[in-house]
Amino acid sequence: MNLTLRVWRQPNPATPGRLVEYKAENISPDMSFLEMLDVVNEGLIKRGEEPIAFDSDCREGICGTCGCMVNGVAHGPDPGTTVCQLHMRRFRNGDTITIEPWRAAAFPVVKDLVVDRSALDRVVRAGGYVSMNVGAAPDANAIPVPKTIADEAFDAAACIQCGACVAACKNASAALFTSAKLAHLNLLPQGQAEKTRRTIRMVEQMDIEGFGACSNEGECEAVCPKEIRITNIAKMNRDYLKASLTGVR
């Protein structure tokens, strides 16, 4: 496959960025999107040019490190897929592909396609931890959890913190991310002790970081590589209202 890439290049946060055109030639349809970028970078390095900076780690859709806008869609056109799992057979020979970093005020560009997503870490840190001394590992059935609740908590815990939900939202809202992190603890018996404090602190930290408000557009759910559902946002809003009425912090 031969492709034309329009890639966002920005050497540092202080320098304005721009789209630069590159040719990606002899690309195998079986390559992943990131492997295609590796091939392009090898060519740039051989020509003495600066390679394109992008984030990646596990390349198995597990860690949430990778992420960029592919033709205006977070993680590209395939649903339930991270950009490292996106394969070049999804495109046609001769296509032009535009590649940009996540766009959000809370995600400042570090270089090219790399953005600073540490705001998400601070939202999680604001929630604290489960303070009970768990001691030795208990028997699996020591605390009965209904299967429906366990399934809901597990689905929310699948969030890999990639930030695609923020990048896809016109308000750059982190409501889906924050609600998923809250749901996977707040739904389980072990997370009840700090539920009120955790909910207030994480929602407030989300606002402090400069993420926008949720306006129920649903774009976050559409691009989430782990298919986290926006029903978690309703749970978060309900828990936050209840927590605010108690005044516990």
Side-chain angles (χ1 to χ4, degrees):
M1 301 175 65
N2 294 317
L3 305 158
T4 299
L5 306 182
R6 299 174 70 241
V7 184
W8 185 263
R9 301 304 308 265
Q10 186 171 342
N12 57 64
T15 305
R18 64 189 179 93
L19 288 170
V20 178
E21 192 168 293
Y22 298 100
K23 296 295 182 185
E25 298 175 329
N26 301 317
I27 300 300
S28 168
D30 295 326
M31 284 182 180
S32 74
F33 199 83
L34 296 186
E35 288 170 338
M36 180 275 292
L37 288 178
D38 289 338
V39 171
V40 173
N41 273 346
E42 287 176 5
L44 291 174
I45 292 170
K46 287 178 181 176
R47 296 197 299 271
E49 299 179 32
E50 185 75 13
I52 301 163
F54 61 90
D55 276 327
S56 73
D57 192 0
C58 75
R59 300 201 175 198
E60 295 180 340
I62 299 172
C63 71
T65 302
C66 66
C68 56
M69 306 295 287
V70 180
N71 288 340
V73 180
H75 288 302
D78 289 343
T81 304
T82 57
V83 74
C84 66
Q85 297 173 301
L86 177 64
H87 284 84
M88 297 312 297
R89 54 180 170 268
R90 185 64 174 75
F91 303 93
R92 293 178 298 182
N93 184 42
D95 274 358
T96 296
I97 305 173
T98 301
I99 311 169
E100 302 168 276
W102 290 160
R103 296 296 188 197
F107 290 166
V109 173
V110 176
K111 183 177 182 180
D112 297 339
L113 305 178
V114 179
V115 300
D116 180 358
R117 289 175 281 183
S118 59
L120 299 182
D121 294 328
R122 291 190 289 274
V123 171
V124 172
R125 191 163 62 233
Y129 52 90
V130 176
S131 62
M132 67 176 67
N133 184 355
V134 296
D139 292 337
N141 60 353
I143 304 177
V145 180
K147 187 175 185 308
T148 54
I149 299 298
D151 287 347
E152 279 190 67
F154 184 82
D155 289 346
C159 172
I160 56 175
Q161 199 170 322
C162 67
C165 51
V166 176
C169 176
K170 69 176 185 179
N171 304 326
S173 169
L176 186 67
F177 160 77
T178 305
S179 66
K181 295 299 180 186
L182 282 168
H184 89 258
L185 290 176
N186 285 358
L187 285 168
L188 296 174
Q190 296 90 336
Q192 294 300 309
E194 284 86 15
K195 178 178 178 178
T196 300
R197 178 179 56 82
R198 179 187 308 116
T199 301
I200 288 179
R201 289 187 177 184
M202 289 182 68
V203 171
E204 290 184 348
Q205 188 66 36
M206 180 176 63
D207 293 336
I208 290 170
E209 295 294 341
F211 293 108
C214 172
S215 53
N216 295 313
E217 305 294 331
E219 291 293 330
C220 52
E221 181 182 271
V223 301
C224 176
K226 297 304 175 185
E227 301 180 322
I228 305 292
R229 301 181 62 185
I230 58 174
T231 50
N232 288 305
I233 298 176
K235 291 188 183 75
M236 177 181 72
N237 291 339
R238 186 169 61 244
D239 288 344
Y240 181 70
L241 176 61
K242 290 180 180 176
S244 299
L245 293 175
T246 66
V248 176
R249 293 180 181 272

